[in-house]
Amino acid sequence: MSDAMNPSTAPPQVSFLATGRGRATLALLCAVTFLDVMDGSIVNVALPTIRTHLGFSVQNLQWVVSGYLITYGGFLLLGGRAGDLLGRRRLLIAGTALFAASSLACGLADNQGLLVGGRFAQGFGAAMMSPAALSILTTTFQGSDRHKALGAWAGISGLASAVGVFFGGVLTEDLGWRWVFFVNLPIAALVLFGAFRILRADHGRSAPGGFDAVGAVLVTAAMLLLIFTLVKAPDEGWGAGRTLGGLAASAALMAAFLVNEQRRAHPLVPLSIFRIKGLAAADATQVIAWAGFYSMFFFVTLYMQNVLGYSQLRTGIAYLPVTFGIGFGSTLATKMFVRTGTRPVITGGSLLAAGGIFWLSRIPVDGTYLGNLLAPLVLMGAGLGLLYAGVQTAANAGVPEDQAGLAAALITASFQLGSALGLAVFSGIATSRTHHLLAAHTPPPEALTAGFQRALLVSAFCLVAAGAIALRASNTRGDPAPTPDPRQPELVTATEQ
């Protein structure tokens, strides 16, 4: 046998991430998740100013946030699967373009209806671009490159949340609330430019038997109704007829969707994807963990502004050290995967974050940043970095290339569902505690703080529960699915474009 045919003498495979194109591809995809996650936090800081300028009532103001969450969470599964079938680069470009256009519309809005409508459109754009970017990442990078790429993705996602709070305070205070939307435009322009110049064109895969339109309608309606019901539950009440009816209707639609998918030879969402090792447990962990994380950021921000009297700018600056904790955790996670697998990383991150949030649940009325907030926030950030990197790796390991978009949509939908669920449940817990104390003539700052303490304590328990789920999950080192046979004509066409 000649040297050319002998595998032992073949040259070692060159790391794609070590090439200029590989690094540019990773930077581009990380810019997508930065744009997506930053938008969610940057707008929250500007809400009081938006309310004053456009005359929102307290009840209607929630739609500036809720409108985005509803369409984002509702269309994620459809967006992820569409990327697999129609082409991921196409969906990334279309979603980013829509996100940019709707950001411009939000920034220019001169009434409540235009702003809320723009936020609905933004959510739809995010539902296309986010799973497309993550699936491009998981199918482009292999082996150790994949570990590093997913670690960078997770780290940037965590950093973007804290950076968004900082920029939200700076932009709102110095330039006005409209700039929390205008800031998206240059980032989106860079993503679009990079998508055309760096990413290879792909044309997806044809869907045998036609597109599963019935499945698409059912799953989208079920997700839209579920997120909408969770968002409205704190106002309506968990025992209200509308809340119970919405949850029941959403469950019925999801059941109809599952029946439809089982009966179709070529479903929109092949249920076999849940048999992939680690995927279901990673999604469940993400839901529970982000219910705690999202609520924590919400209540600590309110504590800083409404109890300690911080300005929006000072609140944003207070979160900057969190970025170092997140960066440390995600970097450490990428080095641990090969040695330990994902289970110890996710479990350790969950418990570390739970400890930080439990520490935060002890905040006093007369607290200080250095004495009561800095250390637990950094500790929580390190746990968040470990957990998020571990969950992303576990959820995407072993996923076939033709289902990468769907897997990416599932883990992103878990993030959105957990965020909406946590905020709905824990805000009710905090409000109930505060109202009870106010009725007993407790001073408002003490009543508010007690409500935040109760909600943060439950958030910490959520992170413990996430760690318990991870303990029962399979342990993976993030190995990708076996490479499909290149002799299959449809795969050759997709990779050679």
Side-chain angles (χ1 to χ4, degrees):
M1 180 180 294
S2 66
D3 288 347
M5 298 296 292
N6 187 353
S8 63
T9 61
Q13 185 176 5
V14 177
S15 165
F16 179 56
L17 189 56
T19 66
R21 188 182 188 91
R23 290 191 293 269
T25 300
L26 179 57
L28 169 66
L29 299 176
C30 285
V32 176
T33 191
F34 182 86
L35 175 63
D36 172 25
V37 178
M38 182 188 70
D39 182 81
S41 58
I42 197 172
V43 174
N44 288 339
V45 179
L47 287 177
T49 307
I50 292 173
R51 178 191 172 195
T52 300
H53 281 204
L54 295 184
F56 276 96
S57 65
V58 174
Q59 183 176 9
N60 290 337
L61 184 65
Q62 70 165 322
W63 286 107
V64 179
V65 176
S66 301
Y68 180 79
L69 286 177
I70 289 169
T71 49
Y72 194 169
F75 286 98
L76 260 171
L77 292 183
L78 179 60
R81 193 56 174 153
D84 292 334
L85 300 176
L86 304 177
R88 295 171 191 130
R89 193 184 80 155
R90 288 178 176 175
L91 263 291
L92 174 60
I93 291 171
T96 305
L98 176 58
F99 190 90
S102 54
S103 295
L104 178 62
C106 288
L108 296 175
D110 58 0
N111 61 65
Q112 299 176 19
L114 287 176
L115 179 58
V116 172
R119 291 291 282 169
F120 274 103
Q122 264 190 312
F124 186 49
M128 291 190 285
M129 73 178 189
S130 182
L134 181 54
S135 59
I136 290 172
L137 184 149
T138 58
T139 55
T140 299
F141 299 101
Q142 304 297 327
S144 62
D145 281 358
R146 199 184 205 197
H147 296 154
K148 295 174 183 176
L150 283 170
W153 172 279
I156 291 296
S157 299
L159 291 173
S161 182
V163 170
V165 175
F166 170 70
F167 278 116
V170 172
L171 293 173
T172 303
E173 198 158 299
D174 292 343
L175 298 176
W177 66 266
R178 298 182 186 276
W179 281 91
V180 302
F181 298 107
F182 291 151
V183 73
N184 292 334
L185 300 180
I187 304 174
L190 286 174
V191 169
L192 291 172
F193 176 78
F196 282 108
R197 292 296 300 271
I198 299 171
L199 301 180
R200 292 188 176 92
D202 64 304
H203 302 291
R205 298 168 60 91
S206 60
F211 184 73
D212 181 11
V214 174
V217 171
L218 287 173
V219 72
T220 302
M223 291 295 292
L224 283 170
L225 184 57
L226 175 60
I227 299 294
F228 175 81
T229 303
L230 291 176
V231 165
K232 295 291 292 180
D235 293 329
E236 298 287 347
W238 286 97
R242 288 186 180 182
T243 301
L244 297 176
L247 293 174
S250 176
L253 287 168
M254 188 59 71
F257 166 72
L258 294 175
V259 171
N260 177 79
E261 299 305 277
Q262 289 178 330
R263 291 181 175 179
R264 287 190 66 93
H266 304 286
L268 176 75
V269 179
L271 300 183
S272 59
I273 193 172
F274 292 104
R275 292 198 293 268
I276 295 174
K277 183 179 179 180
L279 177 63
D283 289 339
T285 302
Q286 178 97 312
V287 171
I288 301 300
W290 274 101
F293 279 130
Y294 194 84
S295 302
M296 182 280 305
F297 280 110
F298 179 75
F299 292 118
V300 172
T301 299
L302 289 179
Y303 170 73
M304 289 182 193
Q305 295 184 348
N306 295 342
V307 177
L308 301 184
Y310 284 17
S311 66
Q312 293 171 335
L313 177 59
R314 189 178 178 186
T315 301
I317 294 173
Y319 279 112
L320 284 182
V322 178
T323 63
F324 296 102
I326 295 172
F328 171 78
S330 59
T331 301
L332 180 62
T334 61
K335 297 178 180 179
M336 292 177 63
F337 291 145
V338 177
R339 299 178 182 177
T340 68
T342 54
R343 185 191 298 156
V345 174
I346 298 173
T347 304
S350 299
L351 296 179
L352 192 63
I357 298 176
F358 178 77
W359 192 347
L360 287 170
S361 73
R362 315 297 295 174
I363 48 177
V365 177
D366 56 350
T368 63
Y369 180 69
L370 291 178
N372 303 102
L373 293 176
L374 177 59
L377 281 174
V378 174
L379 185 67
M380 178 279 306
L384 191 159
L386 284 166
L387 184 149
Y388 195 61
V391 165
Q392 293 290 332
T393 301
N396 290 284
V399 176
E401 184 174 341
D402 65 331
Q403 294 181 353
L406 177 58
L410 285 169
I411 195 64
T412 308
S414 300
F415 167 82
Q416 294 295 328
L417 181 60
S419 299
L421 180 63
L423 194 57
V425 173
F426 299 151
S427 62
I429 291 173
T431 301
S432 175
R433 176 64 173 162
T434 298
H435 286 172
H436 175 75
L437 292 175
L438 288 174
H441 307 292
T442 303
E446 293 182 19
L448 277 173
T449 303
F452 299 153
Q453 289 173 339
R454 181 70 59 85
L456 287 169
L457 180 62
V458 182
S459 298
F461 289 147
C462 260
L463 270 298
V464 173
I469 294 173
L471 276 176
R472 300 183 62 85
S474 56
N475 197 28
T476 175
R477 285 170 170 79
D479 299 322
T483 303
D485 187 348
R487 291 172 294 181
Q488 296 181 19
E490 64 271 27
L491 293 182
V492 172
T493 300
T495 57
E496 287 181 351
Q497 295 295 328

